[in-house]
Amino acid sequence: MKIKFAITALCAALLTGCGVAIKYSLSGASIPPDAKTFSVAYFPNNATMVAPILSSTLTDALVDMFTRRTRLMQVEEGGDFAFEGEITNYMSATSSVSTDDYAVLNRLSITVKVRFTNALDEKMSFNRTFTAFEDYESTRLLSEVEGELIPQIVDKLVTDIFQASASNW
């Protein structure tokens, strides 16, 4: 009986932790309890090749991710977590070639430069570049597939940005 009590007390002590001020959630985010707001500036498309829907799709997806997966409230600018940046590359290139030297697959890649400011802990702020891609059959034109590929690639980018800014792995 004493052993069960000791094990239960030990487990309770381990679960309560050492008073570290970090909130953990099922989303994988570890956001300080003092953080209340986030802001996302519009991400302009400064790539050589431009897709008209890309800037708004990326900006909206980042806002949506933080709205859905955190308790933070969105503000126009100067949030406790603030994001700004630009799309620096939007490119389609051959990714797979057949033995006859014909393109089998093409790859659409998107690169985003992100400046993240954590107003509560400057050490957690960063300037980073994120890249994601999707392959598509070379028999299809980019204009035919970009409407379906851009949201898929943006989802990967936003997930990476979210994890880099809101998770302490």
Side-chain angles (χ1 to χ4, degrees):
M1 187 65 142
K2 290 181 183 180
I3 293 175
K4 283 185 180 179
F5 178 75
I7 291 173
T8 303
L10 179 62
C11 289
L14 289 173
L15 289 174
T16 58
C18 302
V20 176
I22 294 193
K23 179 181 173 161
Y24 293 95
S25 71
L26 296 176
S27 69
S30 54
I31 296 173
D34 295 344
K36 305 287 185 227
T37 60
F38 76 97
S39 58
V40 178
Y42 184 75
F43 279 69
N45 192 340
N46 295 330
T48 305
M49 207 166 99
V50 175
I53 65 167
L54 184 54
S55 289
S56 58
T57 301
L58 176 67
T59 303
D60 293 346
L62 192 54
V63 167
D64 186 55
M65 175 72 80
F66 273 84
T67 300
R68 283 185 302 108
R69 298 189 70 184
T70 72
R71 58 175 168 65
L72 301 177
M73 297 298 298
Q74 182 184 8
V75 295
E76 284 300 310
E77 58 183 49
D80 295 327
F81 280 24
F83 298 88
E84 57 184 333
E86 62 186 319
I87 299 160
T88 58
N89 193 22
Y90 179 84
M91 181 180 75
S92 179
T94 301
S95 68
S96 180
V97 179
S98 71
T99 54
D100 301 349
D101 288 333
Y102 289 104
V104 177
L105 291 176
N106 289 333
R107 175 169 291 170
L108 178 60
S109 301
I110 300 173
T111 302
V112 181
K113 184 176 182 179
V114 177
R115 290 175 296 284
F116 166 67
T117 303
N118 181 330
L120 303 175
D121 185 357
E122 191 60 38
K123 294 180 304 217
M124 300 304 290
S125 298
F126 60 76
N127 287 322
R128 283 183 51 188
T129 300
F130 297 86
T131 301
F133 63 86
E134 283 290 331
D135 290 337
Y136 62 97
E137 294 177 19
S138 62
T139 56
R140 298 182 71 192
L141 298 173
L142 177 59
S143 59
E144 294 174 331
V145 297
E146 65 186 348
E148 64 190 65
L149 296 182
I150 287 174
Q152 293 172 17
I153 298 168
V154 164
D155 185 53
K156 290 177 183 180
L157 289 166
V158 167
T159 298
D160 290 346
I161 295 166
F162 179 82
Q163 289 176 345
S165 61
S167 299
N168 279 331
W169 295 108

